[in-house]
Amino acid sequence: MKMDGVLKLYFGESNIPTPEYIKRAAAQALEEGYTFYTENAGLPGLRQDLAEYYRRLHGVALDPQSEIVVTASGVQALNVGLRCVLNPGDEALVLTPAWPNASAIIRMDNAVPVEIPLALHGGCYAIDFDALEAAVTTRTRLLAYTSPSNPLGWVATEEEQARLLEFSRRHDLWLLADEVYDRIYYRSPELGTPAPSILGKASRHDAVMVAQSFSKTYCMTGWRLGWLVARRDVGDRAAQLNEFIVSHATSFIQRAAQTALARGEEEIRHMLGRLKENRDFCLAALRQMPRASVPSPDGAFYVFPRIDGLTDSFDFCRRLLEETRVGIAPGVAFGAGGEGSVRICYAAERTILEPAMERLDRFLSR
Ligand SMILES: Cc1ncc(COP(=O)(O)O)c(C=O)c1O
């Protein structure tokens, strides 16, 4: 982090600053007096707008009073969601490679994450349902997955979602979907259409939770705002639990988020156009490189190439950094199935991506 002149592709955020209209909305909210406590579950107006957002984008009807809880970030949504349903000693299945926080939070709850890697077949990732079945024990209580995935960019197909739901119902498990990248999705005919949400398949009586965030869609990583959608009994509990963690997300930020939801669509499409070009540039560059093979990601803003013969991705990333000043993330950081690959975040300017790809190519050609 202290090294000068590094081409930084190791982070998990876009380099685009928060759009001006959201910053102005926050300033206006301060002026208007959004400086007091709000409800533990968040401003009723924001929850109403989130329900409307699900109706418009996913055709899903949610009760804003009981099924949506505003949280102070996506990671806090994961925290309260997991905390509400896991008891000490429970086991939680986690599809990996994955951003490590879900497994870490499960451990913080004195439960046990059981990581099940996705299988790579014919250049595509897919859920290994046989491995999932084999991993279920009498202590298994939850299955967590991320779609679109950080770090894979993999997106669960409609069929995979249906099978995950059937699997969770059959084994009486909670199904926790991390959908924070749902708007960063390239497979639809029109950019801006979200990746399918599990909420479109599940009924409101299913034991299903979704963790969400304003960070990635609206370039608001530092603002710390997210939400949890959950069956109403757990929604109630999550709102209560908020009281003892942060009480609620920051008032004026919640208010600004209402403006983001109302006016964000054009900016989102613009960002997606740029991200898709960057993705295609990186894929084309990586596919020319010796030792690298890379599945096509359908969402998020990462590529996760496998490097032939690589057994220590941490050491590889350290040498790449020291010798070429290119910073990327080691696959081993993303749990089972991650070793042997590296993660590259392509939400950066082309003036950074182009020299970074050239240096990586030269490094791999040695
Ligand atoms: C898969 C995934 N989930 C959740 C988050 C958390 O986002 P935040 O806490 O910024 O809302 C991230 C951030 O990198 C992520 O990659």
Side-chain angles (χ1 to χ4, degrees), residues 65-87:
Q65 302 284 345
S66 60
E67 291 166 343
I68 300 176
V69 179
V70 176
T71 55
S73 73
V75 73
Q76 203 228 325
L78 287 172
N79 247 296
V80 287
L82 286 164
R83 189 81 174 264
C84 280
V85 301
L86 289 180
N87 286 319

Side-chain angles (χ1 to χ4, degrees), residues 12 73-75 78 99 146 150 178 180-181 213 215-216 221 224-225 302:
S73 73
V75 73
L78 287 172
W99 189 59
T146 309
N150 170 11
D178 179 334
V180 308
Y181 292 98
S213 171
S215 285
K216 317 289 175 175
T221 47
R224 315 312 296 135
L225 192 66
Y302 311 101

Side-chain angles (χ1 to χ4, degrees), residues 179-250:
E179 297 185 351
V180 308
Y181 292 98
D182 75 330
R183 300 303 307 276
I184 304 178
Y185 180 56
Y186 314 108
R187 207 166 53 197
S188 59
E190 208 187 320
L191 282 184
T193 308
S197 169
I198 193 68
L199 296 171
K201 296 248 172 324
S203 86
R204 299 293 73 85
H205 302 291
D206 275 311
V208 166
M209 283 187 280
V210 170
Q212 261 290 9
S213 171
F214 284 83
S215 285
K216 317 289 175 175
T217 308
Y218 299 101
C219 306
M220 290 172 67
T221 47
W223 296 58
R224 315 312 296 135
L225 192 66
W227 71 92
L228 180 76
V229 178
R231 200 176 67 193
R232 62 183 52 211
D233 52 336
V234 167
D236 276 355
R237 244 189 288 172
Q240 282 172 21
L241 192 55
N242 247 356
E243 168 65 20
F244 309 114
I245 301 174
V246 287
S247 297
H248 60 79
T250 307

